Amino acid sequence: FSVSANGTLPWGLPAGKIAVALGAEDRLEQQRNQRDPLELGASGVFESGNFSEFAGQYNVQEGFLEVTVPVLKNQFVDSLELNGAGRITSYSTSGMVETWKLGATSQINEDIRLRTTLSSDIRAPGIGELFLSPVLVSTQTQAYPPGGPNFSVKQLQAGNPLLQPEQATTVSGGIVLTPHWIENLSMSFDWYSITLHGGIFSPSSGQIFSQCAILKDPNFCKFVLFSQG
């Protein structure tokens, strides 16, 4: 369920009125995987390389507000606008997070447009990342240590219901060129920098073995288990 509204306020600056958009949403995210009658999958006839059954769901409530403020109009530049946005999101699995964005856009003249943004962003874990259980099994050949003898390896992958949304800070800037002397030509160039905090990822078996064998990292070595058949 969602509701939103947008429009301009009755007041503003000499360059124009302030534009506003706001809204709220409540949604349910859910997923269910079912195996076929042969029950192929994690503990079925063919254990390796097949999907297993799992189910999970979570609720999300969020609200947002966006504002665009025209600062200049035909003064030094054709136009200059500042914009900002904020969003509050609550996940039933991990709680509340806040995101925001600040930006500016300027039409220098009919040929050049500049833009820049600074934002705080998130990516919430997917249902599979949260609720995948029982584990998925894949079989492969892996050298251990790297360059050493090969072993037949079973890698197990499962969800983690304690995952938190990963967060990032993004800075970007760009220019759009629309030279009036070349009809229908438009070119854009953008630069951006993303700093990720608390990223969500599943290391491959190669990454696990190399981090353990070469760097002796206990965070990876604890996932390396040997057995005799």
Side-chain angles (χ1 to χ4, degrees):
F1 301 91
S2 64
V3 59
S4 63
N6 64 82
T8 55
L9 301 178
W11 60 85
L13 301 176
K17 293 183 178 180
I18 298 173
V20 176
L22 70 163
E25 184 172 293
D26 187 321
R27 68 180 185 271
L28 171 67
E29 303 276 357
Q30 60 183 185
Q31 179 178 339
R32 178 180 298 275
N33 284 15
Q34 293 180 308
R35 297 182 289 197
D36 65 22
L38 291 178
E39 292 199 334
L40 307 177
S43 58
V45 178
F46 299 102
E47 178 184 54
S48 179
N50 293 281
F51 291 107
S52 62
E53 284 192 344
F54 81 93
Q57 66 179 40
Y58 60 86
N59 290 95
V60 186
Q61 293 86 36
E62 57 186 348
F64 72 90
L65 174 66
E66 301 179 14
V67 179
T68 298
V69 181
V71 178
L72 296 176
K73 184 73 171 179
N74 298 323
Q75 295 181 2
F76 308 110
V77 294
D78 287 355
S79 66
L80 172 63
E81 293 183 343
L82 303 180
N83 55 78
R87 183 181 294 266
I88 297 177
T89 308
S90 177
Y91 295 93
S92 60
T93 51
S94 56
M96 184 175 295
V97 290
E98 299 175 358
T99 55
W100 53 266
K101 182 191 78 169
L102 298 174
T105 303
S106 179
Q107 187 73 45
I108 305 300
N109 52 43
E110 63 177 320
D111 300 324
I112 303 174
R113 183 180 182 90
L114 302 178
R115 57 195 179 196
T116 183
T117 61
L118 170 65
S119 64
S120 175
D121 315 301
I122 67 162
R123 184 187 76 85
I127 293 176
E129 293 171 315
L130 288 167
F131 301 112
L132 178 59
S133 179
V135 298
L136 292 180
V137 182
S138 62
T139 302
Q140 51 200 280
T141 300
Q142 182 67 51
Y144 183 83
N150 289 324
F151 294 88
S152 178
V153 175
K154 287 187 176 181
Q155 182 175 7
L156 311 183
Q157 181 180 352
N160 181 357
L162 300 180
L163 287 175
Q164 301 288 312
E166 59 185 22
Q167 299 183 346
T169 301
T170 304
V171 182
S172 68
I175 181 171
V176 181
L177 303 178
T178 53
H180 65 276
W181 60 87
I182 304 178
E183 187 177 359
N184 297 325
L185 176 64
S186 177
M187 299 180 292
S188 63
F189 304 89
D190 289 276
W191 169 89
Y192 61 89
S193 174
I194 300 175
T195 304
L196 183 65
H197 309 279
I200 301 170
F201 83 106
S202 297
S204 67
S205 61
Q207 291 173 316
I208 294 173
F209 278 107
S210 63
Q211 292 291 318
C212 178
I214 298 174
L215 301 180
K216 310 299 182 184
D217 188 334
N219 293 315
F220 287 88
C221 287
K222 66 183 179 182
F223 296 117
V224 179
L225 303 175
F226 290 90
S227 64
Q228 292 183 347

